[in-house]
PDB file of all heavy atoms in Angstrom:
ATOM      1  N   ARG A  84      -4.659   3.418  13.687  1.00 87.00           N
ATOM      2  CA  ARG A  84      -5.772   3.613  12.770  1.00 87.00           C
ATOM      3  C   ARG A  84      -5.611   2.670  11.576  1.00 87.00           C
ATOM      4  O   ARG A  84      -4.492   2.294  11.217  1.00 87.00           O
ATOM      5  CB  ARG A  84      -5.799   5.060  12.284  1.00 87.00           C
ATOM      6  CG  ARG A  84      -6.235   6.064  13.332  1.00 87.00           C
ATOM      7  CD  ARG A  84      -7.740   6.123  13.408  1.00 87.00           C
ATOM      8  NE  ARG A  84      -8.297   6.529  12.116  1.00 87.00           N
ATOM      9  CZ  ARG A  84      -9.560   6.334  11.750  1.00 87.00           C
ATOM     10  NH1 ARG A  84     -10.379   5.684  12.550  1.00 87.00           N
ATOM     11  NH2 ARG A  84      -9.998   6.758  10.579  1.00 87.00           N
ATOM     12  N   PRO A  85      -6.703   2.265  10.942  1.00 90.00           N
ATOM     13  CA  PRO A  85      -6.610   1.350   9.798  1.00 90.00           C
ATOM     14  C   PRO A  85      -5.807   1.933   8.645  1.00 90.00           C
ATOM     15  O   PRO A  85      -5.825   3.141   8.407  1.00 90.00           O
ATOM     16  CB  PRO A  85      -8.079   1.137   9.396  1.00 90.00           C
ATOM     17  CG  PRO A  85      -8.868   1.477  10.607  1.00 90.00           C
ATOM     18  CD  PRO A  85      -8.106   2.554  11.304  1.00 90.00           C
ATOM     19  N   ILE A  86      -5.110   1.076   7.927  1.00 91.00           N
ATOM     20  CA  ILE A  86      -4.426   1.464   6.697  1.00 91.00           C
ATOM     21  C   ILE A  86      -5.474   1.664   5.613  1.00 91.00           C
ATOM     22  O   ILE A  86      -6.369   0.839   5.436  1.00 91.00           O
ATOM     23  CB  ILE A  86      -3.416   0.380   6.281  1.00 91.00           C
ATOM     24  CG1 ILE A  86      -2.235   0.355   7.265  1.00 91.00           C
ATOM     25  CG2 ILE A  86      -2.910   0.604   4.860  1.00 91.00           C
ATOM     26  CD1 ILE A  86      -1.268  -0.774   7.036  1.00 91.00           C
ATOM     27  N   VAL A  87      -5.402   2.782   4.875  1.00 93.00           N
ATOM     28  CA  VAL A  87      -6.430   3.096   3.887  1.00 93.00           C
ATOM     29  C   VAL A  87      -6.090   2.575   2.489  1.00 93.00           C
ATOM     30  O   VAL A  87      -6.966   2.516   1.621  1.00 93.00           O
ATOM     31  CB  VAL A  87      -6.701   4.613   3.833  1.00 93.00           C
ATOM     32  CG1 VAL A  87      -7.224   5.097   5.178  1.00 93.00           C
ATOM     33  CG2 VAL A  87      -5.453   5.393   3.433  1.00 93.00           C
ATOM     34  N   ALA A  88      -4.826   2.194   2.247  1.00 94.00           N
ATOM     35  CA  ALA A  88      -4.450   1.628   0.946  1.00 94.00           C
ATOM     36  C   ALA A  88      -3.214   0.758   1.118  1.00 94.00           C
ATOM     37  O   ALA A  88      -2.312   1.089   1.903  1.00 94.00           O
ATOM     38  CB  ALA A  88      -4.189   2.724  -0.083  1.00 94.00           C
ATOM     39  N   LEU A  89      -3.184  -0.335   0.377  1.00 95.00           N
ATOM     40  CA  LEU A  89      -2.063  -1.272   0.409  1.00 95.00           C
ATOM     41  C   LEU A  89      -1.750  -1.638  -1.031  1.00 95.00           C
ATOM     42  O   LEU A  89      -2.552  -2.286  -1.712  1.00 95.00           O
ATOM     43  CB  LEU A  89      -2.443  -2.514   1.221  1.00 95.00           C
ATOM     44  CG  LEU A  89      -1.397  -3.612   1.389  1.00 95.00           C
ATOM     45  CD1 LEU A  89      -0.174  -3.084   2.122  1.00 95.00           C
ATOM     46  CD2 LEU A  89      -1.989  -4.798   2.135  1.00 95.00           C
ATOM     47  N   GLU A  90      -0.580  -1.200  -1.526  1.00 95.00           N
ATOM     48  CA  GLU A  90      -0.250  -1.350  -2.939  1.00 95.00           C
ATOM     49  C   GLU A  90       1.160  -1.907  -3.126  1.00 95.00           C
ATOM     50  O   GLU A  90       2.047  -1.651  -2.312  1.00 95.00           O
ATOM     51  CB  GLU A  90      -0.349   0.001  -3.657  1.00 95.00           C
ATOM     52  CG  GLU A  90      -1.721   0.641  -3.612  1.00 95.00           C
ATOM     53  CD  GLU A  90      -2.710  -0.028  -4.532  1.00 95.00           C
ATOM     54  OE1 GLU A  90      -2.272  -0.662  -5.513  1.00 95.00           O
ATOM     55  OE2 GLU A  90      -3.931   0.084  -4.280  1.00 95.00           O
ATOM     56  N   ARG A  91       1.366  -2.642  -4.233  1.00 95.00           N
ATOM     57  CA  ARG A  91       2.693  -3.151  -4.585  1.00 95.00           C
ATOM     58  C   ARG A  91       3.197  -2.423  -5.820  1.00 95.00           C
ATOM     59  O   ARG A  91       2.444  -2.160  -6.761  1.00 95.00           O
ATOM     60  CB  ARG A  91       2.643  -4.661  -4.847  1.00 95.00           C
ATOM     61  CG  ARG A  91       3.983  -5.227  -5.326  1.00 95.00           C
ATOM     62  CD  ARG A  91       3.935  -6.710  -5.562  1.00 95.00           C
ATOM     63  NE  ARG A  91       4.160  -7.459  -4.334  1.00 95.00           N
ATOM     64  CZ  ARG A  91       3.247  -8.132  -3.675  1.00 95.00           C
ATOM     65  NH1 ARG A  91       2.005  -8.145  -4.108  1.00 95.00           N
ATOM     66  NH2 ARG A  91       3.534  -8.792  -2.574  1.00 95.00           N
TER      67      ARG A  91
END
Side-chain angles (χ1 to χ4, degrees):
R84 288 277 300 161
I86 290 173
V87 298
L89 181 62
E90 300 286 336
R91 175 179 275 108

